[in-house]
Amino acid sequence: MSPVSGSPRLVLAATPLGDVRDASPRLVEALATADVIAAEDTRRTRSLAAALGVSPAGRVVSFFDQNETSRLPMLLEALHGGSTVLLVTDAGMPSVSDPGFRLVAACVAEDLPVTCLPGPSAVTTALALSGLPCDRFCFEGFPPRKQGERRRFFAGLAAEQRTAVFFESPHRLAATLADAADVLGAARRAAVCRELTKTYEEVRRGGLGELAEWAAEGVRGEITVVLSGAEPPAAGADLETLVAEVKQRVADGERLKTAAAEVAEAAGVSKKVLYDAAIASS
């Protein structure tokens, strides 16, 4: 049985990042048959449906960051009333730095069924293209806009050994990469993925320093950045070195307890021992 017919449920559907041919047959069916389509941008969703040769039979309503909370009661009422609600964003998977989480959480709380039509994702596409390790990774959303908060954001990734993926707007990319290079080191490897699946797709790989210089010339399009993880600490790293690392992170704005815990975990030492040593050296 189709996941968008037969019984009411919330359906999360991934939409193409750029190339409409990446739309799945299940997405086409969902657009044609859902009772309600909650769309981040109704115009873009109607354009996508037209490109796919689909005429939505259900209501198409807006569902974006600014009205997500106010739309919840109406969508939940539709679901309780027996409707199937399809949730789509402008590109990629709903809830991944896009509207959707609150609606899913509300459905789970009210025991309403939720299903997903998998498909394109900028996160996994960029990760696969980056040339960086993909076996363990974390997704960090968008870095903070303010420089001080952004530098603390990168300080929090200093000891992260997993590959990290984050989004950034093109007009902030140069400043973000410059801060990352300053905090994490110019040599730390990264990949900037631009306009994924679109005509002018581009992947730039290199150290943070050289990528920051490249971005300073101006970059356009949708941006996903993949950042290599930190190198594992050298075996037998001495406590004095670890304390110095903790103190540097505190100087960069982190809480002592958080910095000590993360450095200790990365080094494989006792959190309490490192925390106490950092306190004693202050």
Side-chain angles (χ1 to χ4, degrees):
M1 177 181 292
S2 167
V4 292
S5 62
S7 61
R9 65 184 66 199
L10 173 65
V11 181
L12 310 177
T15 54
L17 303 178
D19 194 323
V20 71
R21 293 173 298 177
D22 292 333
S24 71
R26 297 174 71 194
L27 172 62
V28 173
E29 180 188 1
L31 287 168
T33 60
D35 300 302
V36 180
I37 299 174
E40 184 178 13
D41 185 324
T42 57
R43 291 170 298 180
R44 291 185 65 164
T45 297
R46 290 187 186 279
S47 294
L48 173 63
L52 296 172
V54 175
S55 297
R59 289 182 295 151
V60 180
V61 300
S62 63
F63 188 76
F64 52 93
D65 289 336
Q66 286 70 36
N67 77 350
E68 186 174 2
T69 300
S70 63
R71 283 287 194 208
L72 289 181
M74 181 269 285
L75 295 176
L76 292 173
E77 181 180 359
L79 287 163
H80 281 296
S83 296
T84 291
V85 175
L86 174 68
L87 176 61
V88 293
T89 59
D90 291 347
M93 181 62 68
S95 296
V96 182
S97 275
D98 274 325
F101 165 73
R102 292 181 179 85
L103 179 56
V104 173
C107 286
V108 171
E110 299 192 20
D111 201 27
L112 290 165
V114 181
T115 191
C116 182
L117 308 185
S121 166
V123 175
T124 53
T125 301
L127 184 67
L129 286 173
S130 70
L132 298 171
C134 302
D135 53 336
R136 297 176 65 242
F137 72 93
C138 57
F139 175 61
E140 297 291 332
F142 281 85
R145 297 187 178 192
K146 295 182 179 179
Q147 185 179 42
E149 295 176 2
R150 190 165 59 226
R151 289 175 66 86
R152 286 191 288 275
F153 166 83
F154 286 118
L157 294 175
E160 176 58 70
Q161 295 182 34
R162 294 173 295 176
T163 298
V165 184
F166 60 89
F167 296 151
E168 188 53 288
S169 68
H171 69 272
R172 287 197 299 270
L173 180 64
T176 293
L177 292 174
D179 284 337
D182 192 38
V183 173
L184 302 174
R188 183 109 162 219
R189 303 291 294 176
V192 177
C193 303
R194 187 180 72 85
E195 294 290 86
L196 290 171
T197 78
K198 300 177 184 177
T199 301
Y200 297 105
E201 176 179 288
E202 180 181 19
V203 180
R204 299 283 299 214
R205 305 174 182 87
L208 285 170
E210 62 183 287
L211 290 173
E213 291 180 8
W214 163 75
E217 299 177 3
V219 179
R220 295 182 178 181
E222 300 286 334
I223 305 293
T224 306
V225 180
V226 186
L227 176 68
S228 66
E231 292 292 329
D238 62 272
L239 190 60
E240 183 178 347
T241 300
L242 297 177
V243 167
E245 182 179 348
V246 170
K247 293 175 74 172
Q248 181 58 56
R249 291 175 62 153
V250 170
D252 288 336
E254 277 194 71
R255 295 175 59 243
L256 174 60
K257 187 173 182 180
T258 301
E262 292 183 356
V263 173
E265 182 177 1
V269 301
S270 165
K271 296 178 185 178
K272 184 176 187 307
V273 168
L274 182 56
Y275 178 81
D276 290 345
I279 290 288
S281 70
S282 299

